[in-house]
Amino acid sequence: MSTFAASHLSPSYPDRAAWGTAPKLRAWQQEAFDLYSSREPRDFLAVATPGAGKTTFALRIASDLLSRGIIRAVTIVTPTEHLKQQWADAASRVGIAIDPEFKNSQGATSRDYIGVAITYAQVSMHPALHRARTEARKTLVIFDEIHHAGDAKSWGDGVREAFEPAARRLALTGTPFRSDVNPIPFVTYAEDGDGIRRSLSDYSYGYGPALADGVVRPVIFLAYAGEMRWRTRAGDEIAATLGTPLTKDQLGQAWRAALDPKGEWIRQVLRAADRRLTEVRRGVPDAGALVIATDHETARAYARHIRTITGEGATVVLSDDPTASKKIKEFSASEQRWLVAVRMVSEGVDIPRLAVGVYATSISTPLFFAQAVGRFVRARKRGETASVFVPSVPTLMGLAGEMEAERDHVLDRKPPEEGLDDFLLEDAQRKKDNPDVVGDELPFETLEAVATFDRVLFDGGEFGSAAETGSPEEEDFLGLPGLLEPDQVRTLLSKRQSDQLKAKRSRPEPKEPQLAPHELIANLRRELNGLVGAWNHRTGQPHGVIHAELRRACGGPAIAQASAEQIQERIDKIRHWATQRSH
């Protein structure tokens, strides 16, 4: 078999080359391929942002090694059953016949195939079988999203046993970091200056460079806050405002109320997201939208809301549905507006026309969030943008604000002991039949959940201010054109924010009830502490350091002695920092 087909492979399947690319490898793919060819390594780890074209890169290497006789077989290991089929389809386009239906019970596959596609779970169930297959022929093993090999000790041990004798191993990931400290097989770790072991990649291509190259779309995050009220099992009624400083329990309960399909919050956000989709479709006629739900019950309920809002049904993909892969494939090839899925579409699934997302789950690990957002960044032509609607929760705001940050998998650290970010990825990817959002330990009944537009996050900056859903202020951001260059997005967001501030200054201020001095200062302190918390998530700076920087920048005494005017000045300062690319 020649490498002709692979060398003329479209940068992303199928025929979805980004604007400005010829039918050949993208610049990063060619650079990584040249590096691989010059080293001829047994192990190679390529880290490339979701949507960059890792599949194309890997199959180009496989074609080259097969043509030169360095390998005789290919084994592709994936996180999910659906991805096995996706890899087999892609490989067939370059003349590599892969069996995606291989079962452990078979022992061997047909001689018509050059290799097989299997899952990490499949390997862990019978590593000796896969070791024997690997030893029988010189094999290239492609690990898709290699971090999954660390999901459980049995998975990692199985992968090591099965593929230790492989002639070549090519590891791929878009998100090399994990939420735990399980080592990833065949990944090299090295100590940094602090004695902490970090993963080392052989080639890395992050979201920032990919965005600059026009390989991925810019992501606009639209955050929604709101008033929540619920009744606990004990009969107590509790109210809280999502988007304001809350305790861990209050935040968990308010978040749960927001995502409750019986409340108005999710309906209002879905309605806003559908309006955004309509605007995007003016420039991208086949653009689609995805809701990432927490469990089966809420997924079906969200689909009913979408039918009410749009007048047409949504495709619902559940993890135990044997037709899930078929539904995803049909949705990808159609012009249907909405897809609703339970977590399983968060990673690896290739639906490039997805341009609008609703993050309607409580999972908040950096890994899961990055994988979820990765579903919307796959560019097909220059100027396409992605819009993701998220609850106004500090953890998510921090993750959205640091989209361009590069991360490594870090060992020798303790998993976080508190906060919403201590869900393990295994739990995030597991099949769910019942609700399990944050706050299950305090069962309650949602009494009221009303959404308000909070702000827009883009490229590390924040734009807009609180507004009612359906208001002209919200519409300013929902109506952004669907085809914009990254610099145009920032310019337009800045202009709309400026226009809103001018309009607000020109309107007579409504008279608010006069607060007692102690009430006013307490409110301002809460607002400042909330902003400091969000800045901590973005920069990693301790809260005390941020307060000290604000004090140096604005003057005045410590926060405990500061006047209302001095606290307001610090609030204005940190908001100004947030509109800048960096501080």
Side-chain angles (χ1 to χ4, degrees):
M1 184 198 72
S2 76
T3 62
F4 179 81
S7 63
H8 288 75
L9 195 60
S10 171
S12 60
Y13 285 106
D15 299 326
R16 291 168 182 146
W19 178 90
T21 62
K24 61 181 181 181
L25 295 181
R26 287 173 173 155
W28 84 262
Q29 294 165 334
Q30 188 65 55
E31 186 177 54
F33 176 78
D34 292 343
L35 179 65
Y36 184 91
S37 300
S38 67
R39 291 183 180 177
E40 294 285 352
R42 188 180 181 199
D43 286 291
F44 192 90
L45 172 61
V47 177
T49 190
K54 293 184 290 294
T55 303
T56 299
F57 164 68
L59 292 176
R60 179 69 179 88
I61 287 177
S63 293
D64 178 65
L65 295 178
L66 284 166
S67 70
R68 293 193 285 133
I70 294 173
I71 61 167
R72 299 293 182 190
V74 178
T75 296
I76 300 168
V77 191
T78 75
T80 66
E81 290 288 328
H82 174 76
L83 290 177
K84 288 163 48 176
Q85 185 66 54
Q86 193 165 287
W87 270 93
D89 290 345
S92 70
R93 294 188 179 96
V94 293
I96 301 177
I98 297 294
D99 180 6
E101 304 296 336
F102 178 81
K103 303 290 190 296
N104 286 351
S105 56
Q106 293 174 222
T109 189
S110 165
R111 66 196 321 178
D112 292 334
Y113 294 110
I114 294 173
V116 300
I118 53 180
T119 64
Y120 289 102
Q122 205 172 334
V123 174
S124 70
M125 288 188 285
H126 203 334
L129 165 68
H130 297 287
R131 184 183 183 95
R133 294 189 68 258
T134 303
E135 289 175 329
R137 291 192 294 173
K138 291 187 294 184
T139 301
L140 165 68
V141 183
I142 299 173
F143 297 105
D144 186 19
E145 305 297 352
I146 182 65
H147 53 268
H148 281 287
D151 277 358
K153 189 176 187 299
S154 62
W155 284 27
D157 291 345
V159 165
R160 286 189 186 89
E161 180 183 346
F163 303 118
E164 188 279 329
R168 295 287 180 91
R169 291 181 290 256
L170 175 59
L172 309 171
T173 181
T175 44
F177 53 96
R178 293 180 51 80
S179 301
D180 54 36
V181 293
N182 292 336
I184 303 170
F186 308 124
V187 169
T188 301
Y189 293 85
E191 288 190 4
D192 62 14
D194 299 320
I196 304 298
R197 289 177 293 166
R198 294 180 178 273
S199 62
L200 296 179
S201 61
D202 295 284
Y203 188 88
S204 182
Y205 185 65
Y207 175 78
L211 183 62
D213 291 344
V215 170
V216 295
R217 298 167 178 156
V219 183
I220 304 166
F221 291 95
L222 297 100
Y224 279 74
E227 300 296 325
M228 311 297 154
R229 192 164 58 88
W230 61 90
R231 181 183 293 117
T232 67
R233 180 178 289 174
D236 298 327
E237 289 192 14
I238 302 175
T241 301
L242 194 68
T244 62
L246 300 171
T247 66
K248 177 184 174 182
D249 284 342
Q250 288 174 331
L251 178 56
Q253 297 287 300
W255 195 348
R256 178 175 179 176
L259 299 182
D260 189 337
K262 295 189 292 292
E264 188 62 25
W265 189 94
I266 189 65
R267 279 193 285 265
Q268 291 173 312
V269 171
L270 288 172
R271 195 174 293 117
D274 191 67
R275 290 205 302 276
R276 177 70 188 138
L277 178 61
T278 296
E279 186 60 45
V280 171
R281 281 191 162 218
R282 297 184 195 280
V284 187
D286 69 336
L290 165 67
V291 184
I292 298 177
T294 297
D295 57 78
H296 293 187
E297 182 182 337
T298 55
R300 294 187 182 98
Y302 294 162
R304 290 193 291 271
H305 290 331
I306 289 169
R307 178 175 287 279
T308 300
I309 292 166
T310 68
E312 62 181 76
T315 295
V316 180
V317 178
L318 305 177
S319 50
D320 61 353
D321 183 354
T323 66
S325 290
K326 181 182 177 184
K327 286 183 176 179
I328 292 170
K329 198 168 184 177
E330 288 176 349
F331 180 86
S332 182
S334 75
E335 293 191 1
Q336 190 177 352
R337 291 175 73 90
W338 281 93
L339 173 69
V340 183
V342 180
R343 296 176 178 174
M344 64 173 292
V345 180
S346 69
E347 181 179 39
V349 173
D350 184 18
I351 311 176
R353 71 185 190 88
L354 287 178
V356 175
V358 177
Y359 193 87
T361 177
S362 62
I363 302 303
S364 57
T365 60
L367 180 52
F368 186 85
F369 186 83
Q371 290 169 352
V373 174
R375 297 317 96 214
F376 307 98
V377 302
R378 297 170 184 264
R380 297 179 299 176
K381 64 180 180 179
R382 195 86 186 187
E384 290 183 342
T385 60
S387 303
V388 180
F389 290 70
V390 294
S392 191
V393 172
T395 305
L396 299 184
M397 296 299 94
L399 294 173
E402 57 189 27
M403 264 289 290
E404 297 183 26
E406 302 290 334
R407 291 186 177 85
D408 299 310
H409 181 216
V410 179
L411 300 178
D412 309 317
R413 62 171 171 79
K414 294 181 179 179
E417 296 177 354
E418 62 180 5
L420 295 169
D421 198 33
D422 56 5
F423 284 95
L424 295 180
L425 183 63
E426 302 91 277
D427 183 66
Q429 299 287 37
R430 203 165 54 212
K431 185 185 86 172
K432 294 292 176 179
D433 296 301
N434 299 298
D436 73 337
V437 294
V438 180
D440 276 350
E441 70 281 2
L442 296 173
F444 66 89
E445 173 192 1
T446 301
L447 300 176
E448 183 181 21
V450 179
T452 56
F453 173 76
D454 187 7
R455 54 191 144 144
V456 169
L457 295 90
F458 177 74
D459 195 27
E462 298 182 3
F463 307 87
S465 56
E468 297 299 317
T469 56
S471 66
E473 289 83 2
E474 180 199 35
E475 196 60 43
D476 278 348
F477 294 100
L478 296 180
L480 289 170
L483 288 172
L484 288 172
E485 294 292 325
D487 57 338
Q488 293 175 320
V489 174
R490 173 170 277 278
T491 299
L492 196 50
L493 287 172
S494 298
K495 182 180 185 305
R496 298 211 168 173
Q497 175 167 274
S498 176
D499 291 344
Q500 286 187 0
L501 291 174
K502 288 178 183 175
K504 187 176 290 187
R505 284 195 294 266
S506 67
R507 290 196 299 265
E509 290 290 332
K511 290 186 177 181
E512 296 184 2
Q514 188 69 33
L515 293 177
H518 69 279
E519 293 177 312
L520 176 60
I521 287 176
N523 287 346
L524 290 171
R525 283 177 181 169
R526 279 195 294 272
E527 182 179 358
L528 178 59
N529 287 332
L531 293 169
V532 167
W535 193 251
N536 161 263
H537 279 291
R538 179 188 300 182
T539 65
Q541 290 180 294
H543 289 228
V545 171
I546 300 170
H547 278 291
E549 283 194 26
L550 286 168
R551 187 180 174 188
R552 279 195 296 272
C554 301
I559 189 71
Q561 289 80 43
S563 66
E565 183 179 355
Q566 290 167 328
I567 299 173
Q568 183 62 57
E569 187 178 358
R570 295 176 196 184
I571 289 171
D572 294 340
K573 175 61 70 173
I574 196 169
R575 286 194 181 280
H576 175 70
W577 289 350
T579 63
Q580 310 303 307
R581 181 180 175 84
S582 61
H583 167 63

